Amino acid sequence: MTSPDVIVIGAGCAGLAAASALAERGARVLVLEARGQLGGRATAFLDRESGEYVDNGQHVLMGCYHETRRYLARVGAADAVQFQKRLAFTCVDKHGAISRLECPDWRPPLHLAGGLLRWKALSWADRLAATRITGGLKAARRVITHGEPVPVQPGETVAAWLARNGQTPRLIALLWEPLAIAALNQSAAQALAEPFVRVLGQIFSDDRSDAALGVPARPLHQVFGEPARAYLEARGGQIKLDALSRVVVAGDRVGYVDTRGTSVRAANVIVAVPWFGLAGVLRGSEQGALGELVAREATRASSSIVSVNLWLERGTMPSPFVGLPERTFQWMFDKRWAFGETASHFTLVASDADAVLRQSNDELADLALAEARDALPDLRQAKVQRIRVVREPNATFSLAAGEPPRPGTRTAVDGLLLAGDWTATGLPATIEGAVVSGHAAAAAVA
């Protein structure tokens, strides 16, 4: 494509959301991706020994991911994620007790209160404490519905916010800490409360299905990447893989995009790469506002995720996924529930995994297997057939205090826009945050 209307650099969820939204409006879009696959940090690869696709990290969506669901519907992949009707999950505490939180079909946020009151893992003191957070949840909802300020104190962490709302250690360990880890990829003691409270406002909205969990029913590249490719190409767009690109800035305007020696120009360029890749994409931006942006993003810290995939001779789980609170690996998934008999492996996920990131594959495998067998006795006699460890050192940006402010969609360069979960969406580093940013960039172009 020699004369696209818009060039999008990066084919992760943010870039594909922007490109598909623009294509929906009739724009001719060229997407340039440096890697050989689509999806960014939400993709999959073929494990040649087993013949199965393995996700580069397990993603769980929520019913409140409205922009993500709009994106999936647009590209024809609405059925690629299996959503619950309302929030429910099974967990195994550190003592091996199995319990299930299941919210009744009540009006929010009473449905959460009803679920917690019936949750056998909690004492009556814990259940009473759960009622104390109702006011905090209602205030969080008003942030989303009425645009009120987020009800947190300056520099307040998630842990401090939960303590201020009267939550007990047991309730935090079984519910709020796993939710914070899943949404923020950072512990409640480290992460700032503001994005967490905003997420709670979305989860506990007037629609009880917003709190429901959704698990991809296909390998991730078939959920987010390949459907978007088909959608774009059917509308005159183009995606080029292995297309390492640089945006050459001339003063206050975009000059051109260089892709391995080939120059392409467009009136608008959307840079949809992670924060840590920004410096490698922009050229001629060393001075001025863009230079400040690049320098600032170079200081942004990351938080990692480690996944261990286990192929076991036999063994079952009580549900498609199980929470493993107060362990290194906080969640375990049985891929057969989602993918059917084309899959035969389990995936254990350690979010906020910096403490174990540099352990050897054997050490991580032994730890994951020990925690799985400790929680689920059915797996103790299962023979291990294969293990595959996946590390994402830069899985998400840090939400701890002291990080630089997140940039907006527009830049100081005319025609140059940013997209990515790390931009100023108000959300943590989730797929929803990425898609929201992509849609915002497309709207800015329009």
Side-chain angles (χ1 to χ4, degrees):
M1 186 182 294
T2 57
S3 57
D5 298 317
V6 183
I7 299 172
V8 177
I9 298 178
C13 291
L16 294 176
S20 62
L22 288 164
E24 186 178 40
R25 298 168 188 159
R28 295 177 70 248
V29 185
L30 172 62
V31 180
L32 303 172
E33 169 55 49
R35 300 200 300 176
Q37 57 190 6
L38 303 175
R41 285 165 284 155
T43 190
F45 60 89
L46 182 65
D47 178 70
R48 298 191 181 280
E49 184 168 322
S50 66
E52 297 177 18
Y53 277 102
V54 175
D55 293 333
N56 72 322
Q58 178 67 49
H59 286 269
V60 176
L61 284 70
M62 301 204 73
C64 63
Y65 284 16
H66 297 162
E67 292 299 299
T68 302
R69 300 182 80 164
R70 185 159 71 94
Y71 163 71
L72 292 174
R74 178 191 303 130
V75 300
D79 62 343
V81 179
Q82 299 174 345
F83 281 96
Q84 305 170 328
K85 292 184 178 180
R86 50 188 177 270
L87 176 63
F89 69 88
T90 300
C91 80
V92 185
D93 71 14
K94 64 181 180 181
H95 303 295
I98 299 177
S99 63
R100 184 169 176 81
L101 169 64
E102 192 161 0
C103 293
D105 193 17
W106 296 355
R107 179 173 60 85
L110 295 178
H111 67 316
L112 176 63
L116 294 176
L117 287 172
R118 299 176 181 183
W119 196 7
K120 295 180 180 179
L122 302 179
S123 69
W124 282 108
D126 297 321
R127 296 172 192 180
L128 178 61
T131 64
R132 300 189 190 117
I133 204 170
T134 302
L137 295 180
K138 289 181 177 178
R141 290 171 63 189
R142 292 195 295 271
V143 173
I144 305 302
T145 57
H146 295 88
E148 294 186 7
V150 181
V152 298
Q153 298 174 355
E156 188 172 33
T157 64
V158 174
W161 184 84
L162 291 170
R164 186 159 60 86
N165 282 273
Q167 301 305 281
T168 62
R170 175 75 170 172
L171 194 53
I172 292 172
L174 294 188
L175 177 63
W176 300 120
E177 178 75 19
L179 181 57
I181 286 282
L184 310 178
N185 193 32
Q186 215 153 14
S187 72
Q190 291 179 307
L192 290 174
E194 183 172 348
F196 182 68
V197 174
R198 188 179 292 275
V199 168
L200 292 181
Q202 293 181 312
I203 293 174
F204 299 111
S205 70
D206 291 333
D207 185 346
R208 63 183 64 86
S209 67
D210 278 350
L213 302 175
V215 178
R218 305 172 192 166
L220 288 177
H221 71 296
Q222 297 176 12
V223 178
F224 299 104
E226 293 304 328
R229 185 209 297 265
Y231 181 87
L232 287 169
E233 291 178 348
R235 286 156 182 80
Q238 184 179 357
I239 293 179
K240 294 186 70 175
L241 300 178
D242 297 311
L244 183 66
S245 302
R246 302 287 186 266
V247 181
V248 179
V249 177
D252 62 351
R253 295 189 60 82
V254 173
Y256 59 92
V257 174
D258 177 85
T259 304
R260 299 189 183 279
T262 300
S263 299
V264 187
R265 286 176 168 80
N268 291 280
V269 176
I270 298 173
V271 175
V273 300
W275 70 99
F276 53 84
L278 195 63
V281 170
L282 299 178
R283 291 291 181 269
S285 62
E286 292 79 8
Q287 305 299 321
L290 275 189
E292 295 173 7
L293 169 68
V294 171
R296 195 166 60 238
E297 292 311 316
T299 69
R300 191 177 301 280
S302 302
S303 189
S304 63
I305 295 177
V306 171
S307 301
V308 175
N309 300 280
L310 301 174
W311 283 261
L312 302 179
E313 186 178 43
R314 57 186 174 85
T316 60
M317 286 172 50
S319 62
F321 57 93
V322 173
L324 305 176
E326 300 183 273
R327 296 175 174 88
T328 301
F329 291 86
Q330 302 98 354
W331 295 92
M332 183 172 179
F333 298 80
D334 185 344
K335 290 297 191 177
R336 287 170 292 193
W337 286 84
F339 295 173
E341 293 307 314
T342 59
S344 62
H345 64 279
F346 302 88
T347 299
L348 288 101
V349 180
S351 298
D352 189 26
D354 292 354
V356 297
L357 180 66
R358 290 174 176 79
Q359 290 187 7
S360 69
N361 286 354
D362 288 343
E363 289 172 327
L364 288 169
D366 289 344
L367 177 59
L369 190 60
E371 292 193 344
R373 286 174 167 168
D374 178 65
L376 301 171
D378 284 351
L379 304 181
R380 290 175 185 171
Q381 303 305 317
K383 182 180 178 181
V384 179
Q385 298 175 316
R386 176 161 172 72
I387 297 174
R388 186 75 182 258
V389 176
V390 181
R391 294 174 175 81
E392 283 285 352
N394 298 311
T396 65
F397 57 89
S398 173
L399 289 165
E403 291 299 312
R406 294 158 65 180
T409 301
R410 298 184 183 276
T411 70
V413 174
D414 189 29
L416 179 66
L417 301 113
L418 300 176
D421 57 9
W422 54 278
T423 59
T425 64
L427 298 172
T430 58
I431 287 177
E432 177 72 355
V435 174
V436 165
S437 76
H439 286 170
V445 169

